[in-house]
């Protein structure tokens, strides 16, 4: 396995880009002129229900960024990882010289084996991590699963049933574990220097998307391009939507769903519980967030 990894690294460092067979080309469509598929320059690694979809949509407003259309799950799903680098590249969009390629898979952040896999394949990748207040993120996580189960007509469980065990918080509940940012961040900082990871404030992105996106542009060394005209507040949806030269669009209706009502004492337990993990995360990344 080590030999395979070394061979892959030599191949990619000796080739500026890896062009692959395009499924469109096989159906009689030509790829864009001077464009190739290649390993992503940017990966949005998470966090689930932190605002990753909004982030990649906003980043795609920039003409020097092209985004993969779906979550690739290359580094966290063994069935995909075994297909190798060529398959991974085939999932990327065509990019012209000077453009940056980005993919997002929120599950990467919480998978302990992913950071090393990413490092082996693309050591110079730039990583974006968007985080939200942990309790709010947990509630969004539960809400998504609740509606997914509802659509599939599966039996529902209340949040309290999943979250509480014997009067105490259930630390095995996956949605709670995903909000323990410091635990997962340690794995990434073991593999990458802090300078390679930009933290996006997901709560601020909701309130003032332009300010957060200017920081992202700076981190990625992009020419300043995203501006106030790219955003407008949709009174019906209750959040900002996007506008570019071609169209106006809002995120899918599944985004921004109303959270279930949670007993005040349970919320207080959550806020109290996350106080110490949040402190550890702030210390780890060298910045603070305005969280309860």
């Amino acid at each position: 396995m080590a030999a395979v990894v070394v061979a892959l690294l030599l191949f990619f460092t000796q080739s500026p880009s890896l062009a692959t067979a395009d499924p469109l080309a096989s159906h009689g469509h030509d790829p864009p002129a001077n464009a190739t598929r290649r390993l992503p320059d940017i990966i949005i690694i998470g966090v689930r229900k932190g605002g990753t979809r909004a982030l990649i949509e906003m980043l795609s407003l920039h003409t020097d960024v092209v985004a993969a259309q779906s979550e690739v799950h290359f580094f966290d799903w063994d069935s995909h990882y075994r297909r190798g680098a060529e398959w991974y590249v085939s999932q990327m969009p065509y990019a012209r010289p000077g453009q940056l390629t980005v993919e997002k898979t929120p599950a990467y952040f919480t998978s302990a084996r992913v950071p090393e896999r990413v490092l082996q394949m693309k050591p110079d990748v730039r990583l974006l991590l968007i985080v939200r207040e942990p309790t709010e993120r947990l509630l969004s996580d539960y809400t998504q699963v609740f509606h997914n189960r509802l659509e599939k007509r599966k039996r529902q469980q209340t949040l309290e049933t999943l979250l509480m065990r014997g009067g105490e918080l259930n630390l095995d509940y996956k949605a709670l574990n995903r909000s323990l940012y410091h635990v997962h961040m340690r794995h990434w900082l073991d593999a990458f220097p802090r300078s390679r990871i930009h933290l996006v404030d997901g709560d601020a992105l909701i309130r003032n998307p332009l300010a957060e996106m200017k920081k992202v542009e700076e981190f990625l060394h992009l020419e300043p391009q995203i501006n106030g005209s790219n955003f407008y507040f949709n009174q019906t949806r209750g959040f900002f939507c996007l506008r570019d030269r071609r169209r106006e669009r809002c995120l899918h209706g599944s985004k921004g769903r109303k959270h279930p009502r949670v007993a005040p004492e349970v919320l207080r337990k959550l806020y109290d519980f996350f106080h110490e993990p949040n402190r550890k995360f702030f210390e780890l990344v060298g910045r603070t967030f305005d969280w309860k």
Side-chain angles (χ1 to χ4, degrees):
M1 180 64 188
V4 173
V5 170
V6 171
L8 286 172
L9 282 173
L10 286 173
F11 181 77
F12 285 114
T13 53
Q14 291 171 3
S15 301
S17 64
L18 173 64
T20 64
D22 180 23
L24 290 178
S26 66
H27 288 84
H29 297 280
D30 293 328
N34 302 319
T36 57
R37 298 182 190 272
R38 57 175 181 261
L39 290 171
D41 305 286
I42 311 157
I43 302 178
I44 299 173
I45 58 175
V47 61
R48 171 182 162 113
K49 304 312 295 178
T52 58
R53 171 51 58 185
L55 178 57
I56 200 169
E57 290 283 350
M58 292 177 188
L59 191 52
S60 297
L61 291 168
H62 202 290
T63 57
D64 288 340
V65 174
V66 287
Q69 293 302 303
S70 58
E71 295 177 6
V72 183
H73 286 281
F74 177 70
F75 296 104
D76 63 319
W77 289 2
D78 287 341
S79 59
H80 284 180
Y81 192 66
R82 283 194 293 266
R83 295 184 180 187
E86 187 172 352
W87 179 87
Y88 184 42
V89 171
S90 76
Q91 306 305 300
M92 296 300 117
Y94 274 101
R96 294 185 177 90
Q99 287 186 310
L100 300 178
T101 300
V102 58
E103 78 118 323
K104 85 165 183 83
T105 302
Y108 288 165
F109 181 59
T110 54
S111 178
R113 61 191 168 185
V114 166
E116 191 60 33
R117 285 180 171 183
V118 175
L119 179 67
Q120 289 174 352
M121 188 168 288
K122 182 71 173 174
D124 63 343
V125 71
R126 282 168 276 188
L127 305 171
L128 297 177
L129 172 65
I130 181 168
V131 292
R132 291 176 62 198
E133 193 283 319
T135 297
E136 288 297 309
R137 196 221 61 81
L138 183 155
L139 295 176
S140 292
D141 201 331
Y142 168 79
T143 302
Q144 175 172 295
V145 173
F146 177 89
H147 283 278
N148 288 346
R149 293 180 66 87
L150 196 64
E151 291 172 1
K152 296 175 183 177
R153 299 185 179 181
K154 292 185 176 181
R155 184 175 62 87
Q156 299 295 339
Q157 290 179 284
T158 65
L159 177 60
E160 283 82 358
T161 301
L162 295 165
L163 188 59
M164 304 302 294
R165 180 179 292 170
E168 298 298 326
L169 292 175
N170 175 16
L171 301 184
D172 293 327
Y173 179 38
K174 289 182 179 179
L176 187 147
N177 178 269
R178 292 187 190 107
S179 283
L180 295 175
Y181 302 144
H182 73 290
V183 172
H184 311 296
M185 191 67 182
R186 287 190 208 284
H187 298 302
W188 287 93
L189 291 177
D190 284 342
F192 289 93
R194 175 68 177 83
S195 60
R196 281 270 155 199
I197 308 172
H198 177 70
L199 297 180
V200 180
D201 186 333
D203 300 305
L205 189 71
I206 295 170
R207 298 189 304 268
N208 186 3
L210 179 58
E212 282 299 306
M213 292 310 299
K214 300 311 287 183
K215 296 173 188 175
V216 173
E217 280 184 327
E218 183 179 357
F219 171 72
L220 298 175
H221 306 296
L222 288 167
E223 177 186 348
Q225 193 180 101
I226 300 173
N227 58 67
S229 68
N230 292 128
F231 305 97
Y232 69 96
F233 191 79
N234 186 301
Q235 295 289 347
T236 303
R237 303 292 293 276
F239 50 77
F240 282 93
C241 295
L242 311 182
R243 179 190 293 121
D244 59 21
R245 290 186 297 273
R246 294 163 297 184
R247 60 193 173 110
E248 295 181 354
R249 63 191 187 277
C250 289
L251 296 181
H252 189 270
S254 64
K255 306 300 179 182
R257 286 187 178 124
K258 186 177 180 180
H259 292 166
R261 185 186 176 281
V262 182
E265 59 271 20
V266 174
L267 281 178
R268 179 43 51 198
K269 275 183 178 289
L270 283 170
Y271 290 134
D272 290 344
F273 170 77
F274 281 121
H275 179 77
E276 182 59 16
N278 290 348
R279 185 193 66 77
K280 291 180 179 178
F281 179 65
F282 298 161
E283 187 175 279
L284 199 59
V285 299
R287 64 172 287 189
T288 61
F289 292 82
D290 186 21
W291 295 341
K292 296 178 182 178

